[in-house]
Amino acid sequence: DQQVKQNSPSLSVQEGRISILNCDYTNSMFDYFLWYKKYPAEGPTFLISISSIKDKNEDGRFTVFLNKSAKHLSLHIVPSQPGDSAVYFCAASVGGGADGLTFGKGTHLIIQP
Amino acid sequence: GAGVSQSPSNKVTEKGKDVELRCDPISGHTALYWYRQSLGQGLEFLIYFQGNSAPDKSGLPSDRFSAERTGGSVSTLTIQRTQQEDSAVYLCASSSDRGEEKLFFGSGTQLSVL
């Protein structure tokens, strides 16, 4: 039972354009959402998060949007840069705390020059 | 240390052998987590430590898996009688407190069971 779904295993975007990574969840109790970024042979690193009391959170080139009614969140990267090429994991938790953190399978973002 | 350190970075073993994977978290981090990533899968939660105790072992896939943490610092994940389906990247992460979702991950141990 996959509670956090990233339905696109990979995404290719041209440098300078917007990258949009999508994530859907099934557990309506999730109230905190995070995105992690992972380079090959490295561990994931925290990128950005959003609480369910918000519908948008922005940090530089990265913006996360949350649509609670649709149980959907997305990560926007604009403009996309070559260094953004990585695997992006969506994660969600109930009531805070990483022991309940559920991860999606990840989306491999490829930024083309 | 500056970050979460895991050793070995790669481990190749034969089916049926035992393996030990080590994690050295960020100094002062009380919460420690083990995850596993099998090929084409997301991060699968295995076990969580708060200090030396493990309040949540729900993710351990079988009784062949065990973990301990000593001195509130280093943790060891042991897999006994390894099977081919145990092949995966085993990731350790730490955070300053249980309530902190922002985990700091190590680079992982790539385990291959032949």
Side-chain angles (χ1 to χ4, degrees):
Chain A
D1 176 27
Q2 203 180 343
Q3 297 188 65
V4 177
K5 301 177 184 180
Q6 294 178 258
N7 292 321
S8 299
S10 66
L11 176 67
S12 184
V13 175
Q14 202 163 15
E15 182 179 357
R17 305 293 289 268
I18 183 171
S19 295
I20 300 176
L21 295 95
N22 293 303
C23 178
D24 296 292
Y25 60 95
T26 57
N27 187 345
S28 57
M29 298 297 290
F30 285 145
D31 57 5
Y32 201 82
F33 305 89
L34 305 91
W35 286 92
Y36 280 80
K37 175 179 177 180
K38 184 183 185 300
Y39 292 119
E42 295 183 11
T45 56
F46 170 79
L47 187 59
I48 193 169
S49 63
I50 187 167
S51 163
S52 61
I53 63 173
K54 293 185 174 182
D55 55 16
K56 175 183 174 181
N57 189 26
E58 189 173 352
D59 183 2
R61 296 186 297 113
F62 303 90
T63 303
V64 57
F65 294 92
L66 175 62
N67 182 336
K68 285 180 289 184
S69 61
K71 296 193 182 68
H72 177 84
L73 66 155
S74 60
L75 175 68
H76 293 211
I77 307 172
V78 56
S80 300
Q81 298 175 354
D84 296 330
S85 295
V87 177
Y88 289 79
F89 290 98
C90 172
S93 70
V94 177
D99 55 333
L101 210 52
T102 303
F103 285 84
K105 292 186 178 183
T107 295
H108 185 193
L109 177 64
I110 302 161
I111 304 301
Q112 305 218 338
Chain B
V4 178
S5 177
Q6 290 187 247
S7 60
S9 55
N10 281 282
K11 177 71 177 179
V12 180
T13 190
E14 293 179 353
K15 178 181 171 182
K17 295 282 180 72
D18 298 351
V19 295
E20 280 191 357
L21 312 180
R22 177 189 167 105
C23 172
D24 202 342
I26 291 173
S27 178
H29 278 191
T30 59
L32 185 148
Y33 307 82
W34 283 97
Y35 284 84
R36 158 170 97 168
Q37 186 181 16
S38 303
L39 194 63
Q41 301 298 313
L43 277 69
E44 175 190 4
F45 168 77
L46 298 178
I47 188 170
Y48 150 70
F49 286 93
Q50 180 63 38
N52 289 338
S53 64
D56 190 352
K57 303 179 182 179
S58 62
L60 294 177
S62 76
D63 58 8
R64 296 186 296 104
F65 287 72
S66 63
E68 64 175 13
R69 188 179 186 194
T70 55
S73 181
V74 173
S75 176
T76 303
L77 177 69
T78 301
I79 310 173
Q80 295 179 308
R81 305 180 302 282
T82 52
Q83 304 294 312
Q84 287 184 333
E85 62 263 28
D86 299 335
S87 297
V89 176
Y90 288 82
L91 290 159
C92 175
S94 69
S95 68
S96 57
D97 184 46
R98 176 179 185 265
E100 177 60 66
E101 292 94 347
K102 297 171 190 173
L103 303 178
F104 294 83
F105 282 87
S107 298
T109 294
Q110 172 72 63
L111 176 65
S112 300
V113 182
L114 305 180

